[in-house]
Each structure stands twice: as C-alpha cells, then as structure tokens.
Amino acid sequence: MAEIERLHPASEVRYVDTVCKPTKDRQSALRQLIDVAEVIVVVGGRESNNTRQLVETCRASDRRAFHIERPDELRSEWFDGISVVGLTAGTSTLRETVDAVFRCLEEIARTRP
C-alpha cells in the first residue's frame, strides 16, 4: 500500500479485508494442524477458492496435501509410512462429506499393517 500511496499521492487508498471469519478460522486451525500432521487431506470443491487456499497453505509449509471432493477419492497408498494424518475442509463443504471422509480414513488406518 505504501508504494501505491507514493505513486499516487492525491489518491485515497483503503485496505478492506473481505475474507470471512470462518475462512480465517480454518486457515488458523490448519496452521496448527500442519505442526502435528505428516500429511493433510483437504476436502472441498476443486473450484472452491478457500479450499484451494487450504491446499496451498499446506504446500507452502512443505506439508503434503491431498485435495479431494469425496471419500472414494482417497487412496490407501497415500498414507504409506505416515503416522499422523490431518483432515480439513473448505467452508462450503458439507459436514456429512467431511464425516464420510473421516470414516474412510479410520477404515484405512484400521486395515494398514
């Protein structure tokens, strides 16, 4: 903003934060999850900007992330050698979808050697 103000001194420059609280809360929770999980499963639409931002936050923190829309997209081999898996979702993802992914992750964990 300082550079814009410098280049255009007669203009009024305002910053308006338009990110909604639920999205900010998920980003904050994800940063805590990144500290403990070896890999993160992110559930949400491929066209959802906030879901894509969650994936990018993981990758920017050098944390492997899998972006899925449905539980049937999970692959057991993704978790080879992994002890702790994190799960998050975009703000518009249905709770039922997140719960179904969680149950599928539990089943994968039960059947792993």
Side-chain angles (χ1 to χ4, degrees), residues 1-62:
M1 284 189 40
E3 184 65 11
I4 293 170
E5 289 172 332
R6 186 186 70 74
L7 293 171
H8 305 281
S11 298
E12 180 180 347
V13 179
R14 291 186 213 163
Y15 170 77
V16 179
D17 184 357
T18 60
V19 178
C20 68
K21 183 166 176 16
T23 296
K24 287 180 183 179
D25 290 346
R26 286 184 192 246
Q27 283 284 343
S28 177
L30 177 59
R31 283 189 281 284
Q32 294 175 10
L33 190 59
I34 285 170
D35 289 340
V36 296
E38 297 168 79
V39 66
I40 310 283
V41 174
V42 183
V43 186
R46 303 242 190 272
E47 301 304 316
S48 165
N49 186 58
N50 73 67
T51 302
R52 286 194 313 261
Q53 288 297 317
L54 293 170
V55 173
E56 288 308 312
T57 297
C58 292
R59 293 180 179 157
S61 299
D62 292 324

